[in-house]
Amino acid sequence: MKFYYQLFFFLISVVSMAQSSQLWKGYYSYQETKAVAQDNQNIYIATDNAVFAYNQYSFETEIFNTINGLKINGINTLAYAEDYKKLIAGSTNGKVAIIDLAADKIYHLNDIFSKTNIPDNQKIINKIIVQGGYAYLATGYGITAVRLNDNHFGDSYYIGVDGEMVNVKSITVFNNQLYAAVENEGVKKASLNANLIDYNNWQVIDFNNWIELTTFSDKLIGVKEDLSLNTISATNQIDQVSDVWGGFLKFNVSGDVLIEVTHEAARLRGSDLSVYNEFVYGLNENGGVNDATYTNGDYYIASRTNGGVKVSLENKDNIVSISPGGPLSNNVSAVTMNNNDLWFTFGGYGPVMNPYEPNGLTQYGISNFKNMQTWQHISFNQLNQFKSTVNISFNPQQPHLAYISSFHDGLGVWDVNKNELTVYNAANTDELNAVIEGDTRVYGVAFDKNGTGWMTNTATTQNSHLVSIDKNNQFTQHSTNVINGDKFLMPVVDKNNTKWFGSYANGLFAYNETKNKAMQITTSNNLPNNNVKTVALDYKNELWIGTLKGLRIIRNVDQFLTSSQLTPTNIVIVDEGLNQELFFEQDISNITVDGSNNKWVSVADSGVFLISDKNETLYNFTTTNSPLPSNDVIAITINGTTGEVFFVTRSGVVSFKNYATTPATDLDDIKVYPNPVRPGFTGDVKVSGLVADATVKITDVAGNLVHETKSLGGTVTWNTLSFSGAKVPSGVYMIFISSQDGTLDAVKKVMIIR
């Protein structure tokens, strides 16, 4: 027997200001919506990790996500506290967020999530109600109260037999009694004036299984597991008055309207509990419904795949999207820059590169943020139901063709001008092989300097190959006895046209068709692990190799042409006076090189690191110190023109405003910033728009040289120190730039004010 009198939760809530960061941007999807709440002006709709407020009268939206401080994932329920002007969000993992709309603050209560004595599958918050200064949470272990005056947890109530943890599916308050629908234990109630911690004060009034309770029109109503709709009197008399539809999810109350929410519809009931209107949003046709409300003659639907929608009761054919713009899903597999367009692919594959896990073959479509201003989408049906998309690439010599790789359906070539997709797979292309019939797995495409695309084709361990496609979409299969195994990654092409690509279990491969040479590099050659998850080529001709158990580099990829076998080496850094291997035994997910030859490195469960060209750690971003939605960053893409860095996670995409750009072809668009450098500035001056290997000299107006460097990419930085290590004084400084061969030159100025 257990008897709880102590306060279960007493940790301090974490507070953040709901203000956007100027260095970070969010590229979140608002299509897969989960929950709805409302006040007298706004409709609040939640996705898995964000909330947006839609003003019914001005039609404007306000977004709360990681960029302005909302850090919660798995949202599945919302509640609004009118007296406190606070919105409470609960999640499937026990996290709670309180958005104080009046004070413009966000409070995070993560105590439930962090508790080790609550099993993870019981931390779910099923429902939130607001009553008398408290938000009551119906959870998988019992009921917990949250004080709304100070945004802290109050008591928790374990109301199972003998005070055990038990799944409370729903709660409501009626006649000053707190009612709870308890899984396998029926409906229980207790007076709000009683000691709710003492499970003996909870009375069982019915032993049937109930799935919903609510208070409406001075009635206590509920739905049993058999989908019967019942009233419960103050004397515990239960009367069936109707039935609800199959797929029933919940009730919401909006004034004198009871909204019955099912997985395909919202139905309106009046005070007599009869249905007088309904809106069907079919599961097969539209993806179905997760939540809904109704006010001022309009339905507001949180749909599963089409975002928040508004539907007039008088004209149900007029379905209006109210979600903010964004990609089709947060389950992003990759993003790609093409000119000034940002393209998104979704789904791909799950653990161990299996496209059937965790939830079957993914079916999304493609999104494009056109000119970084307007969202455009190619639907799943427009793509001829092309599934499990992994990546999208563009041929620089034919930029209107998008090459979409799938880990199930082969290669799709989308003609941007014609809006047409041509699919190549094992059924219609001899050079592509299938794992099994109907399952052609392609990872690519990387283009060489001749405009030939290169992709890996995972089939069986005997039939996996490197495949090329020319500008006329003619395929060539490249087979050697060196390339073996399966589950290969997208190739990286170096200046010698050598293709480098990793594999899930067979190490690193290199192939050059001109030299008719192939090589395999494994743990026998100093790789820390044969699961090579990422490779990246930098501006020094070094190949960075990220594996499941650490980092290696090949100092010069030219060595492949003359060496019979390459042995990659580790990088040793000095950390607190001791020699340490950089990323020793770390699970490295992605490496991307920026325009200053710095490396963005993502490490599983540890966020992203920016490693300088001198192997110093410049940044380490995590969910704790940045707007990253997850510490598992699976891909990193850089806008070479602006330096903006995009971090791809399975919970959405965010970007960081960096300044390292890719090399230009001329010196016509050089930028110096900040300019002027004002008092108090502690960062670096950036000079961008450079050609590769440009020499940059900085002098004072008298011609005295104070700094000199060479660009590896398209940007150099200056810490405003002279050669002596002292800060240069106030004044105008000249920046002289010249290309390596001396054919290009430019002069810029920067003013420094101390």
Side-chain angles (χ1 to χ4, degrees):
M1 180 179 294
K2 296 182 180 178
F3 198 62
Y4 293 91
Y5 277 111
Q6 74 272 27
L7 296 183
F8 194 84
F9 300 114
F10 51 86
L11 298 181
I12 298 174
S13 59
V14 179
V15 62
S16 58
M17 302 300 291
Q19 297 175 349
S20 296
S21 167
Q22 294 181 346
L23 294 177
W24 292 84
K25 292 182 181 179
Y27 296 85
Y28 287 111
S29 172
Y30 301 94
Q31 296 299 105
E32 297 161 324
T33 50
K34 307 293 184 179
V36 172
Q38 68 181 90
D39 60 23
N40 57 8
Q41 188 175 42
N42 296 297
I43 305 296
Y44 301 97
I45 298 182
T47 66
D48 183 80
N49 57 6
V51 175
F52 65 90
Y54 173 79
N55 190 300
Q56 301 176 62
Y57 306 103
S58 69
F59 313 126
E60 296 175 336
T61 57
E62 182 179 6
I63 298 172
F64 303 92
N65 57 29
T66 62
I67 304 301
N68 55 12
L70 180 63
K71 296 188 176 184
I72 183 174
N73 59 298
I75 299 175
N76 69 319
T77 184
L78 292 175
Y80 180 73
E82 175 65 37
D83 292 342
Y84 294 86
K85 300 295 185 287
K86 293 178 180 179
L87 184 71
I88 306 102
S91 70
T92 56
N93 55 33
K95 291 183 178 181
V96 178
I98 300 176
I99 302 174
D100 189 330
L101 299 164
D104 198 28
K105 293 181 179 180
I106 300 174
Y107 298 85
H108 297 93
L109 286 67
N110 295 331
D111 306 32
I112 299 172
F113 172 79
S114 302
K115 285 294 179 181
T116 57
N117 60 336
I118 302 177
D120 287 345
N121 63 352
Q122 291 183 256
K123 293 178 179 179
I124 183 172
I125 298 170
N126 296 310
K127 184 177 180 179
I128 304 172
I129 65 169
V130 175
Q131 177 71 29
Y134 289 90
Y136 291 96
L137 316 180
T139 76
Y141 60 83
I143 302 170
T144 290
V146 175
R147 300 192 302 268
L148 292 173
N149 62 339
D150 63 2
N151 309 301
H152 284 65
F153 281 112
D155 297 331
S156 287
Y157 317 127
Y158 300 90
I159 63 174
V161 174
D162 292 333
E164 297 289 341
M165 294 183 186
V166 67
N167 184 22
V168 177
K169 293 185 174 182
S170 183
I171 53 176
T172 193
V173 172
F174 180 66
N175 286 345
N176 205 43
Q177 302 276 324
L178 181 58
Y179 288 78
V182 182
E183 186 173 31
N184 298 323
E185 295 186 20
V187 175
K188 299 184 178 184
K189 73 173 183 179
S191 171
L192 288 173
N193 298 326
N195 178 11
L196 298 178
I197 297 175
D198 185 351
Y199 67 89
N200 291 302
N201 289 327
W202 289 82
Q203 174 190 359
V204 179
I205 65 170
D206 186 78
F207 286 97
N208 288 295
N209 267 330
W210 295 65
I211 56 179
E212 175 68 309
L213 297 171
T214 196
T215 304
F216 170 67
S217 190
D218 297 324
K219 301 182 186 72
L220 173 60
I221 62 174
V223 176
K224 292 183 181 180
E225 201 171 49
D226 63 4
L227 301 183
S228 62
L229 174 60
N230 304 269
T231 60
I232 305 174
S233 73
T235 58
N236 304 333
Q237 180 176 331
I238 299 171
D239 296 303
Q240 181 175 349
V241 295
S242 184
D243 295 291
V244 296
W245 273 7
F248 174 82
L249 298 175
K250 63 185 296 189
F251 281 132
N252 285 321
V253 176
S254 177
D256 59 355
V257 179
L258 178 69
I259 302 99
E260 173 190 329
V261 184
T262 80
H263 69 287
E264 289 192 295
R267 310 176 78 202
L268 307 184
R269 294 178 182 265
S271 58
D272 62 355
L273 300 183
S274 64
V275 176
Y276 68 88
N277 201 279
E278 61 194 24
F279 172 68
V280 177
Y281 202 67
L283 197 62
N284 294 329
E285 303 86 354
N286 300 297
V289 177
N290 274 325
D291 204 352
T293 191
Y294 174 84
T295 184
N296 294 330
D298 294 314
Y299 289 92
Y300 290 91
I301 308 292
S303 75
R304 296 187 178 187
T305 58
N306 291 335
V309 296
K310 172 184 175 181
V311 184
S312 170
L313 182 146
E314 300 297 332
N315 182 10
K316 295 176 187 173
D317 292 330
N318 184 23
I319 300 175
V320 179
S321 173
I322 61 172
S323 280
L328 290 171
S329 172
N330 282 326
N331 185 16
V332 182
S333 56
V335 298
T336 301
M337 287 297 307
N338 181 47
N339 295 324
N340 200 37
D341 300 338
L342 186 66
W343 292 79
F344 289 66
T345 54
F346 309 96
Y349 50 74
V352 300
M353 296 182 72
N354 184 346
Y356 297 94
E357 294 181 359
N359 299 310
L361 299 173
T362 54
Q363 305 176 14
Y364 286 107
I366 302 291
S367 292
N368 174 24
F369 196 32
K370 184 71 174 176
N371 293 320
M372 300 299 288
Q373 293 181 341
T374 306
W375 286 100
Q376 299 177 351
H377 308 292
I378 306 169
S379 72
F380 178 60
N381 288 330
Q382 285 177 292
L383 280 182
N384 300 330
Q385 300 186 351
F386 197 68
K387 298 178 286 294
S388 299
T389 53
V390 177
N391 205 301
I392 186 167
S393 307
F394 291 85
N395 187 340
Q397 298 183 16
Q398 293 178 300
H400 67 287
L401 296 180
Y403 293 76
I404 308 168
S405 57
S406 161
F407 227 58
H408 182 270
D409 289 345
L411 177 69
V413 180
W414 176 262
D415 191 313
V416 175
N417 296 333
K418 297 180 180 179
N419 290 332
E420 293 178 354
L421 182 74
T422 304
V423 176
Y424 302 92
N425 53 40
N428 61 18
T429 306
D430 292 339
E431 291 79 9
L432 295 175
N433 293 327
V435 176
I436 57 175
E437 185 177 354
D439 186 344
T440 305
R441 302 183 184 183
V442 170
Y443 206 136
V445 177
F447 289 92
D448 64 22
K449 58 188 176 183
N450 300 316
T452 300
W454 294 84
M455 70 201 83
T456 55
N457 172 211
T458 290
T460 64
T461 55
Q462 292 80 28
N463 294 319
S464 294
H465 298 288
L466 190 64
V467 178
S468 63
I469 180 172
D470 66 17
K471 288 177 284 188
N472 298 316
N473 291 338
Q474 298 299 307
F475 289 80
T476 303
Q477 190 180 84
H478 303 266
S479 303
T480 80
N481 57 8
V482 174
I483 300 175
N484 61 82
D486 60 1
K487 299 177 182 176
F488 296 119
L489 301 181
M490 180 175 175
V492 170
V493 185
D494 70 19
K495 65 178 183 179
N496 304 311
N497 259 6
T498 300
K499 273 61 68 176
W500 303 84
F501 54 98
S503 69
Y504 179 76
N506 293 85
L508 175 70
F509 294 91
Y511 175 77
N512 189 300
E513 74 282 6
T514 303
K515 300 293 183 180
N516 193 27
K517 183 176 182 179
M519 183 183 295
Q520 182 180 15
I521 301 170
T522 67
T523 51
S524 300
N525 313 111
N526 199 37
L527 278 185
N529 190 273
N530 282 332
N531 185 349
V532 175
K533 305 180 75 172
T534 179
V535 292
L537 186 67
D538 76 1
Y539 291 106
K540 288 182 176 179
N541 230 20
E542 293 181 345
L543 189 75
W544 285 53
I545 308 161
T547 79
L548 182 69
K549 290 291 184 180
L551 173 72
R552 291 293 184 269
I553 63 170
I554 293 174
R555 293 293 180 183
N556 191 332
V557 293
D558 292 347
Q559 296 172 351
F560 168 79
L561 301 177
T562 57
S563 300
S564 59
Q565 184 63 54
L566 295 178
T567 301
T569 60
N570 61 358
I571 296 176
V572 177
I573 60 173
V574 178
D575 184 16
E576 297 182 352
L578 298 175
N579 289 339
Q580 303 281 349
E581 180 179 314
L582 184 63
F583 296 117
F584 177 68
E585 292 194 349
Q586 297 298 299
D587 182 356
I588 299 175
S589 302
N590 190 268
I591 303 172
T592 299
V593 182
D594 72 12
S596 294
N597 211 41
N598 302 321
K599 284 75 179 180
W600 289 98
V601 181
S602 62
V603 176
D605 296 322
S606 299
V608 290
F609 297 78
L610 180 60
I611 306 300
S612 76
D613 188 51
K614 298 179 181 179
N615 299 326
E616 300 168 328
T617 299
L618 304 178
Y619 296 123
N620 175 206
F621 294 134
T622 67
T623 56
T624 302
N625 65 11
S626 79
L628 280 178
S630 168
N631 281 329
D632 284 318
V633 176
I634 61 172
I636 303 169
T637 297
I638 298 175
N639 184 334
T641 302
T642 65
E644 185 177 6
V645 185
F646 301 92
F647 302 115
V648 179
T649 79
R650 293 298 187 182
S651 299
V653 176
V654 296
S655 74
F656 176 71
K657 186 178 180 181
N658 200 31
Y659 297 95
T661 57
T662 54
T665 57
D666 53 46
L667 298 176
D668 295 340
D669 192 27
I670 294 173
K671 293 182 174 62
V672 181
Y673 42 90
N675 192 8
V677 177
R678 301 188 183 279
F681 178 74
T682 58
D684 294 342
V685 172
K686 282 89 174 175
V687 183
S688 67
L690 305 176
V691 295
D693 298 314
T695 298
V696 179
K697 296 182 179 182
I698 302 176
T699 72
D700 59 22
V701 290
N704 298 307
L705 186 66
V706 297
H707 182 73
E708 182 175 352
T709 188
K710 177 170 281 192
S711 68
L712 292 170
T715 301
V716 298
T717 60
W718 176 38
N719 58 9
T720 70
L721 302 181
S722 67
F723 287 119
S724 67
K727 287 185 177 181
V728 298
S730 297
V732 175
Y733 291 83
M734 309 300 296
I735 304 173
F736 298 93
I737 304 155
S738 60
S739 61
Q740 185 179 33
D741 59 8
T743 59
L744 301 173
D745 60 72
V747 179
K748 291 289 180 180
K749 298 178 182 179
V750 61
M751 176 178 287
I752 295 179
I753 306 171
R754 296 299 188 190

